[in-house]
Amino acid sequence: PGYAGELEVQGRAEIKQVTRARDGGTGQVLVLMLEGLDSACVAAASTSGDTCGIHVHEGASCASAKLGDHFWDQALVPEDPWQSVRYHPHIPVLMTAPVVTGLA
């Protein structure tokens, strides 16, 4: 909601719950099959802030344009784990490494 740009992104996204065996850290793995992504997002150009990022925000609905902060347990994970999660427009299927959020 609220996006007025020219991109028409479509596809499917799946979030899977994971627990790391080595330390019991909980988090999520994202499996994405998206089309129509911004072709300007390439590895060299997408290393700062939320640029070309994929992350989960706090909130109860995607129907509102008001987004909360990135969603993770700040008491268990001091640094924002979503900052390094990025997409590349020329990779049709992306499965992220586990994003350790501290959330189950």
Side-chain angles (χ1 to χ4, degrees), residues 17-96:
Q17 181 67 35
V18 295
T19 301
R20 291 191 314 198
R22 73 170 188 245
D23 63 5
T26 56
Q28 291 71 39
V29 169
L30 283 66
V31 180
L32 310 166
M33 297 175 67
L34 303 173
E35 299 175 342
L37 297 168
D38 188 347
S39 62
C41 285
V42 292
S46 63
T47 57
S48 66
D50 287 342
T51 305
C52 306
I54 295 193
H55 28 261
V56 175
H57 285 267
E58 293 177 344
S61 171
C62 292
S64 171
K66 293 182 179 183
L67 297 175
D69 292 332
H70 292 171
F71 191 48
W72 88 96
D73 187 331
Q74 296 178 26
L76 294 175
V77 182
E79 299 291 323
D80 184 349
W82 296 104
Q83 286 298 315
S84 63
V85 182
R86 309 242 184 264
Y87 69 83
H88 191 289
H90 306 296
I91 300 174
V93 178
L94 170 68
M95 185 166 89
T96 67

